Amino acid sequence: MRRLRKTDTNLNNESIEGWNVIRKVAPYLWPAGETGVKVRVVLALAMLLVAKLISVATPLFYKHAVDALSAEADPALWLGMGAVGLTVAYGMARLMNVGLSQLRDAVFAPVGQRALRRLAYETFVHIHSLSMRYHITRKTGGLSRIIERGVKGVDFLLRFLVFNMGPLVLELLLVAGILFYLFDVWYLAVVVLTIALYVWFTFAVTEWRVKIRKKMNDQDTEANQKAIDSLLNFETVKYFAAERWEADRYDRAMEGYEQAALKTSYSLSFLNFGQSFLITSGLVAVMVMAAVGVQNGGLSVGDFVMVNAYMIQITMPLNFLGSVYREIRQAMIDMSEMFTLLGQPAEITDKPGAKPLAVSGGTIALKDVSFGYEAERPILRGVDIEVPAGKTIAIVGSSGSGKSTIGRLLFRFYDVNDGALTIDGQDVRDVTQESLHQQIGVVPQDTVLFNDTIYYNIAYGRPDASEAAIIAAAKAAKIHHFVMSLPSGYDTAVGERGLKLSGGEKQRVGIARTLLKNPPILLLDEATSALDTDTEREIQAELKAMGQGRTVITIAHRLSTISDADEIIVLENGKIVERGKHEALLTRNGRYAQLWQRQAADEEEAA
Ligand code: ATP
């Protein structure tokens, strides 16, 4: 939450500049090189202009129809039409206005939808490109809501700013001009004063309301994040019988929302009443002036009716100015949150002109690597490791010594602070991340699956793989038999994060999809979560088979599984304290021997 607040202040300070946001949206509506889109935009704007001209002329037909009917006037003809003709023309004008507006919406809709889709796509791609560091600090629920609200904001802006606010201003100008031309400057003055007061009042009150709305938004996000976090951890909640605690926490967040929502609704009533007061005052003032004019004989009854029609015509859309303005402000905030996210630089990026990683054998070298997630806390200090092509090294050490960190550096989730990490002589910082990720297969401590079928999850390793290849991978990972025993076989859904499968089954699906990927380099992060000994042993055998002919780094917790590694590296506090083959290390009787004896004793005890 503290993080979120920080972003909010930034927003208030700089990013809410509406034009900035509009400038960012504009290229989506006027995409370079897409003539079809541009034609649609021009057509829609032309229809808009014609519709407005017709709509402004409509009261004129009305006025002349009334004049033609009123007893004291000459049975005057306007444009050669009598009262009936004028009334029909009045109806036609109204109809054309509506028809053109609908047509305009239809012409513009594909432009808007395409812009939305592209924006959502770009934000999604960008979020994926952001670094690990960003992802683990940011809450996923919060992120997806930022996209959702941002895209909605753009949608709103398109529909209302372009096709309501713009036309409204145009219409106001036209009507003001007509009133000035047909009557006198006082009518114009009253209309201008009314609208100026109205706009000032609306904007001022709305500004104040936006702050309340922002608070409401924050509370909403907070309650949502709490709910999502709690639901994602539902198992833990059950383990600790913490349903009540979770519900209370959620309720407290919702209470804040309740308060903010009430304030929002009260302030809306105030705004609505104030607006009505101003509009009605202006309307009555103009009509009184017209009534006096009719009594003095200077104006016709038709003029009185027309003044009323114009006033209604311009004040009706003004009625929703407040909510539109508020929504636009809100949309601006939401969009600027999204654009801030889009502008968030990725920590790890490809160098300009980075080449794809060319793997010949897959020799991995860490040269004097130092790294810390935070500057003040070093995790790895001067680590030197070389894994010759096709060999297997194992990294052991107590929990927190930095074993998994080495894997993350290999995958370039983070960059080293000092030293270098190379594959076949190429620094991982000099090659494209995509090629790097393609060459390394990872079986993590805890395989997390997509909420889809087993087939989909295995095929994720190589989406273009044939069914036969997928089944072969499943067989090699010794999961085919199990899958076939399920009623839906490969079409079995695995549940969110793969929760419907056991730890061992998940692990095997993970192995199958890595086998399918068939990378020259493997990173095996041994499961710490205890699988039962048999399953553990079988999976070990499968991992070992998978390592044949590849360069393998195993992060090991059980020493018995790595005794035949080509080299074992013992890491303590981010430093290599011992290295060598299993037997040699045992003979040395150092840290490794100590770990080995402790584990042997533990296993004996367990047995
Ligand atoms: P284990 O055997 O328990 O998996 P490990 O040796 O693999 O431990 P690492 O995961 O490499 O340990 O973590 C090394 C240290 O870095 C730990 O003390 C951990 O708290 C810290 N650490 C890990 N990830 C982060 C992070 N994203 N930000 C800050 N510190 C981190």
Side-chain angles (χ1 to χ4, degrees), residues 128-133 346-352 354-355 357 364 371 373 404-417 420-423 426-438 440 442 523:
H128 264 301
S129 80
L130 288 175
S131 54
M132 179 101 163
R133 197 190 300 275
E347 181 187 330
I348 307 286
T349 48
D350 290 350
K351 275 192 185 161
K355 291 203 177 57
L357 173 70
I364 302 170
F371 173 76
Y373 295 96
S404 306
T405 303
I406 293 180
R408 287 179 208 128
L409 293 180
L410 178 66
F411 223 72
R412 210 181 161 216
F413 278 155
Y414 301 89
D415 273 339
V416 299
N417 298 131
L421 200 161
T422 63
I423 295 175
Q426 302 147 78
D427 194 307
V428 290
R429 287 168 292 190
D430 296 336
V431 298
T432 63
Q433 293 173 75
E434 193 182 1
S435 66
L436 176 69
H437 296 167
Q438 272 162 357
I440 308 174
V442 181
L523 178 68

Side-chain angles (χ1 to χ4, degrees), residues 4 33 46 85-86 92 110 136-137 142 162 178 180 200-201 224 259 271 297 346 355 359 363 374 395-396 541 556 605:
L4 216 112
L86 284 165
M92 298 272 286
I136 53 183
T137 26
V162 180
I178 288 179
F180 176 64
W200 168 78
F201 174 78
N224 250 290
Q259 299 296 340
L271 177 66
K355 291 203 177 57
V359 176
T363 302
E374 291 127 16
I395 305 175
V396 302
E605 203 172 292

